[in-house]
Amino acid sequence: MNIFFDTDYTWLGVDDTIRPGTETIFKQLVEDGHNIYVWSGIGIRWAEVRRHKLEKYVIDCFMKPLDNFIESLDHLGLPVKPDIVIDDYPEVPSAMVGIWIRPYFFYNASDNELERVYELICEYQTRKKSQ
Ligand SMILES: [Mg+2]
């Protein structure tokens, strides 16, 4: 599946820390055969992806539409479409297939939201395969 991760407050804090579990989930998803893309409403975030040493897991970075999500995907001319999106902003996962994640603002060692996200992605994939 093409899995699109939002950036700010999804895996990147306001304090520029990386959410605990980010590298683990990226690695697991790549090992499971998924394609990871990072997008953001404020631009293409390769700098942040590289700063946090995630570039080996990420296929590409895109600009995320800010509204009219489904229609905008065509206008943006993305080379791939998301099968599942992970976002702290509820409008995005509710417009597409997606998982809402509690916003991550500041470093918090006990934040384990990404473990839940990984379980949900696995569940979704299992269900999709059995359809
Ligand atoms: Mg966000």
Side-chain angles (χ1 to χ4, degrees):
M1 293 195 290
N2 295 326
I3 305 177
F4 280 48
F5 280 84
D6 169 55
T7 305
D8 294 304
Y9 323 134
T10 292
W11 62 266
L12 188 67
V14 213
D15 58 354
D16 198 39
T17 59
I18 183 172
R19 184 173 218 148
T22 304
E23 186 169 1
T24 307
I25 190 175
F26 279 19
K27 188 167 184 284
Q28 282 171 322
L29 293 172
V30 169
E31 284 172 5
D32 294 348
H34 299 294
N35 304 315
I36 297 181
Y37 297 90
V38 165
W39 65 356
S40 163
I42 63 165
I44 292 171
R45 310 295 290 277
W46 272 121
E48 290 78 3
V49 167
R50 292 199 180 100
R51 189 153 71 239
H52 292 286
K53 302 188 168 43
L54 299 170
E55 70 269 26
K56 60 175 176 249
Y57 308 109
V58 175
I59 294 183
D60 212 348
C61 293
F62 302 124
M63 179 81 191
K64 185 179 78 172
L66 294 174
D67 49 22
N68 299 318
F69 301 105
I70 302 296
E71 305 83 63
S72 303
L73 282 181
D74 295 323
H75 298 305
L76 284 172
L78 297 182
V80 283
K81 292 272 159 66
D83 292 306
I84 186 160
V85 297
I86 318 300
D87 209 295
D88 66 289
Y89 186 62
E91 275 77 357
V92 184
S94 58
M96 310 177 206
V97 172
I99 299 167
W100 175 79
I101 188 165
R102 188 154 39 83
Y104 170 77
F105 297 116
F106 300 103
Y107 185 72
N108 171 7
S110 61
D111 184 301
N112 59 2
E113 278 280 287
L114 286 168
E115 290 171 27
R116 177 182 70 86
V117 167
Y118 180 71
E119 283 163 23
L120 288 170
I121 292 171
C122 294
E123 258 180 58
Y124 175 68
Q125 198 190 18
T126 308
R127 228 177 294 156
K128 229 177 119 181
K129 275 185 184 161
S130 65
Q131 274 173 2

